[in-house]
Amino acid sequence: MPAAPKPLTARERARIEFTRDIKEAARRQLAEHGPDGLSLRGVARDIGLVSASALYRYFPGRDALLTALITDSYRSLGDAADAAVEALRDRSTADRWIGLCHAVRDWAVAHPHEYALIYGSPVPGYAAPEDTTGPGTRLPLLIGALFTGAATAGAYRPGDAPAAPEDARAALEPLLSRLPGETPVDLVVAGLSAWTYLCGAVSFEVFGHRSAIVTDPRAYFDHEIRRIGTLLGILPPPGR
């Protein structure tokens, strides 16, 4: 039996709680002013501090706080997608794809400002550090795993599509070099396209680009992801 975790000290608990208060205040600033308007001074005012100096023991600057919010957002989105796929682990790949897509949309609709932070316009003057790479790749890797699982089970049925030319293969080298050598390039392109189309559809809804032409966003989204899944070969064609 593993040893029980050591109880947190009062100081450690207080630090965790205060860090949570800082992040909650920062999210309120994101909702009101956007990432450009985020500042430690504004966060300090929000939580009742006279100056921002006390916050620098927790976050040395705005960029560190942004990184924490971005990492938390990626993790929260990844948790939602993971939970949806896990809940459908005994169902078909098609069902898991649909469940994952709806989980991503539901999370984004419920957390539009956090979604904008990770899938919206880059924040001027901010460069995301490597710390965000792991959490940021959870969703595309999960989608890739669905496609790989479908191929292994014989449920991947791509339609007629042009093979990736050499320059496209070369462009994917940073990704292909991290995958097993036998992974088909077509499968990688399909998974990457699925991630792109999914986030594109969600972004169009969250950022209001289709609000004047789609009256029932959820119903249309459900049809859209089924259509995309069929075109990319992870859903069977109608009637099969």
Side-chain angles (χ1 to χ4, degrees), residues 12-65:
E12 290 169 335
R13 290 196 300 271
R15 184 178 182 86
I16 291 171
E17 291 173 3
F18 191 51
T19 300
R20 183 167 55 245
D21 290 343
I22 294 171
K23 289 180 179 179
E24 289 176 354
R27 292 187 185 99
R28 289 192 292 270
Q29 275 209 347
L30 281 179
E32 186 173 353
H33 304 293
D36 290 355
L38 180 65
S39 70
L40 290 182
R41 182 175 299 176
V43 170
R45 285 197 303 268
D46 191 280
I47 57 181
L49 298 178
V50 176
S51 73
S53 58
L55 302 187
Y56 286 94
R57 295 196 298 270
Y58 297 81
F59 299 99
R62 183 209 67 158
D63 285 5
L65 180 54

Side-chain angles (χ1 to χ4, degrees), residues 195-232:
W195 175 45
T196 303
Y197 293 151
L198 167 60
C199 291
V202 171
S203 295
F204 263 53
E205 179 179 349
V206 171
F207 302 146
H209 297 307
R210 303 196 292 204
S211 58
I213 58 175
V214 177
T215 59
D216 188 338
R218 184 178 181 84
Y220 181 76
F221 178 80
D222 185 76
H223 168 70
E224 188 172 27
I225 59 175
R226 291 172 188 271
R227 184 182 180 91
I228 291 169
T230 302
L231 293 173
L232 292 175

Side-chain angles (χ1 to χ4, degrees), residues 103-113 115 202 205-206 217:
V104 170
R105 176 192 174 272
D106 290 348
W107 184 91
V109 170
H111 306 87
H113 305 293
Y115 181 82
V202 171
E205 179 179 349
V206 171

Side-chain angles (χ1 to χ4, degrees), residues 171-210:
L172 283 174
E173 184 55 34
L175 174 58
L176 294 175
S177 64
R178 298 170 57 186
L179 301 174
E182 67 276 7
T183 304
V185 174
D186 178 75
L187 192 64
V188 176
V189 171
L192 187 57
S193 297
W195 175 45
T196 303
Y197 293 151
L198 167 60
C199 291
V202 171
S203 295
F204 263 53
E205 179 179 349
V206 171
F207 302 146
H209 297 307
R210 303 196 292 204

